Amino acid sequence: LLIRPQQKRMKEHQAKITAVKKGDTVVTGGGLVGKVTKVEDQHVEVELAPQVRVRAIKATLSDVQSVTLAKAND
């Protein structure tokens, strides 16, 4: 009974990560929040502050917030 909801959450999380695109806001596994500036196969480039960019492995992203979702909630 517990395995099914957990598998569903994992699939939803994986779908979010594979659908990440430029302009999305992401949270890394280390807790850093930034805006995606470039997307590659295994990596994303995240802008943490003006002129401060880091590369992160897609698998380490813990949350992805789409641009359309962020604007709709404001």
Side-chain angles (χ1 to χ4, degrees):
L1 294 172
L2 296 175
I3 295 172
R4 191 76 165 141
Q6 186 177 8
Q7 286 178 341
K8 184 179 177 184
R9 274 194 307 260
M10 287 291 290
K11 285 182 183 179
E12 290 172 355
H13 182 259
Q14 193 65 26
K16 276 183 168 181
I17 290 175
T18 55
V20 69
K21 61 186 179 302
K22 184 177 178 179
D24 289 348
T25 301
V26 295
V27 179
T28 66
L32 299 174
V33 179
K35 185 175 177 182
V36 176
T37 58
K38 185 177 179 183
V39 178
E40 298 174 359
D41 290 336
Q42 299 295 320
H43 300 93
V44 291
E45 187 176 275
V46 181
E47 185 172 34
L48 302 174
Q51 301 300 317
V52 178
R53 294 184 177 153
V54 295
R55 285 181 45 160
I57 298 172
K58 279 186 179 181
T60 63
L61 298 178
S62 61
D63 191 23
V64 178
Q65 296 178 348
S66 177
V67 174
T68 56
L69 290 176
K71 288 183 179 178
N73 291 333
D74 285 341

